[in-house]
Amino acid sequence: MAPVAQRPRGTQDLLPPDQPYWDAMEQAAQALALGFGYLRIETPSFESTELFVRGVGDATDIVTKEMFTFADRGGRSLTLRPEGTAPIVRAYFDAGMQLEPQPVRLYYLGSYFRSERPQRGRFHEFHQFGIEAIGDGSPLLDVEAVILAWKWFGALGLGGVSLHLNSIGDEVCRPAYRDLLREYYRPHLGELSADSRARFEKNPLRLFDSKEPQDQALKRDAPRIVDHLCEPCAEAFTTVKETLEAEEIPFSLNSELVRGLDYYTRTVFEYQHVSLGGAQNALGGGGRYDGLAGALGYKPTAGIGFALGMERTAMMLKEAKELAPLAPDVYAVAVEPKDERYVFHLAGTLRERGLRVIVDPSAARLDAKLRKAAKRGARVALLVGPEERQKGEAVVRDMRLKTQVSVAEREVVPTVTQALSAG
RNA sequence: GUGGCUUUAGCUCAGCUGGUUAGAGCAUCAGAUUGUGGAUCUGAGGGUCGAGGGUUCAAAUCCCUCAAGCCACCCCA
């Protein structure tokens, strides 16, 4: 009979061999975030659909074709979260965090859901490490976010990462720029791809996202938004750039970087990896979203954050270096069934000292058990046979040196500890 | 969502133009005179050949449908 189910499309199992990479990412995230004063928050895996429609933007690809939406029993429309920022802004106000000292700095690690066609490094359920600083519009917070993400890649020892930076203005200067862009493109509408013609009306900035050959030439000569920023936006952008330079964070300006979500204002940034394929080369990105809280019906409130993709980062990490799963310190073996309880007891004593101890449960021969001890990478084997049991002793074997000593029960812990700390 | 390629043991793959009980390496388990190891040797288990339907005396091998994966596009993490 065929199994009743298989892993759903676009999902994956994170198996024990994957965990060292995930541990490294989570630990680095936590250490860095706390170091910058960001505290952890986790919001629900699903929210009211309206939160994303209003927060992310009803014309975005996420909302129009990528959400996992379902109805609860009362007929309310719910959606598995496709991104983290709108829920966190919602939580910020729900919890009254606007009354705390501003800005409120938050970080999160969790899974997100988008129903795109799966591909390498792109899943229906994926994980992000992200931060949000809400309640203050200072460009120093933009710099803080950019640096924190940069340091994360650095802490993981991941090379080949590049930082791309742009400013897309705000509600003061962007409308004028949008008109300018339309004016530029209008005479060439016939030459554009169908997708781009649709963007011309809905969101001309996204004309820059196109990879269609016929759109490329036009893109090159299009007016750049950084040349049309209003005074406050330009000033903020200068602060961001100059501070990054002073901190020696390498970045490149990319006037075509617009990002897909409606709520971004001013600073936007993205991290790319050289060996991720052209289309999925983004490891993560972020930006300022001063318009989001207002769009969600809250008091207008500034915010800045990023989200970094953990699947893609794990992929690059695996290519860069090999991390082995945690091996046990001690592999405990009973020579005969009668010795098992004594071995079980000794293992417990060793665990109380914080050691990782595996008890062999099999009825196999001693050489087979030792073979397993070796394959598991145990540093020490603890052996008990009838002789040892009768004398109240145990054999402590150093698996690497292939030497062993028989010691009294009370000497087991110090002997094992010493063997583990040697070389 | 659109187009293309792929899908044989846990993993990596072989299987020529359709023909008897589908193979290899690695991995797993077990033995190699009985309380000692990752090597070597020997052996074993493990696949309804992605799923379903069709053509045929006969299909892993041809046709159709579906599913999953990969690549490009769309877009994003």
Side-chain angles (χ1 to χ4, degrees), chain A residues 172-189 192 199-201 203-205 207-208 218-219 221-230:
Chain A
V172 175
C173 49
R174 197 162 358 148
Y177 171 71
R178 204 177 276 143
D179 291 343
L180 197 66
L181 206 54
R182 283 212 182 91
E183 259 175 59
Y184 167 80
Y185 271 105
R186 196 178 308 277
H188 306 288
L189 268 180
L192 288 174
R199 288 173 181 149
F200 176 84
E201 284 306 328
N203 187 356
L205 259 68
L207 285 161
F208 289 125
L218 283 169
K219 245 162 70 169
D221 296 325
R224 303 186 312 160
I225 182 148
V226 286
D227 298 328
H228 299 86
L229 295 175
C230 59

Side-chain angles (χ1 to χ4, degrees), chain A residues 31-75:
Chain A
L32 270 167
L34 294 176
F36 279 78
Y38 288 72
L39 300 178
R40 185 159 184 171
I41 182 170
E42 292 302 335
T43 60
S45 294
F46 54 88
E47 299 268 359
S48 287
T49 300
E50 200 56 21
L51 178 68
F52 302 115
V53 173
R54 295 283 300 281
V56 178
D58 54 11
T60 58
D61 287 310
I62 289 181
V63 169
T64 55
K65 57 182 197 189
E66 295 172 4
M67 296 205 303
F68 284 99
T69 297
F70 59 98
D72 72 6
R73 297 196 178 194

Side-chain angles (χ1 to χ4, degrees), chain A residues 2 18 170 184 214 286 349 375:
Chain A
D18 300 315
D170 60 11
Y184 167 80
Q214 68 260 45
T349 309
K375 288 202 171 177

Side-chain angles (χ1 to χ4, degrees), chain A residues 80-148:
Chain A
L80 294 179
R81 58 183 183 185
E83 62 97 42
T85 302
I88 286 173
V89 169
R90 193 223 79 228
Y92 168 90
F93 287 102
D94 277 0
M97 288 189 245
Q98 75 272 29
L99 304 176
E100 296 176 13
Q102 304 294 304
V104 171
R105 290 177 166 92
L106 303 166
Y107 83 94
Y108 58 92
L109 292 159
S111 56
Y112 296 84
F113 307 85
R114 287 183 206 171
S115 173
E116 298 170 277
R117 183 98 159 223
Q119 219 170 303
R120 180 176 142 90
R122 172 201 281 177
F123 301 89
H124 280 179
E125 178 180 17
F126 59 99
H127 296 76
Q128 293 186 327
F129 159 48
I131 66 148
E132 313 289 351
I134 306 174
D136 192 310
S138 164
L140 282 182
L141 291 171
D142 304 27
V143 176
E144 192 169 279
V146 168
I147 291 181
L148 210 166

Side-chain angles (χ1 to χ4, degrees), chain A residues 260-296:
Chain A
L261 311 186
D262 284 358
Y263 53 60
Y264 285 113
T265 55
R266 293 194 173 173
T267 308
V268 295
F269 54 99
E270 186 169 294
Y271 299 87
Q272 298 177 2
H273 195 279
V274 280
S275 68
L276 277 169
Q280 273 87 237
N281 60 356
L283 284 174
R288 178 159 283 287
Y289 47 87
D290 295 347
L292 177 57
L296 292 175

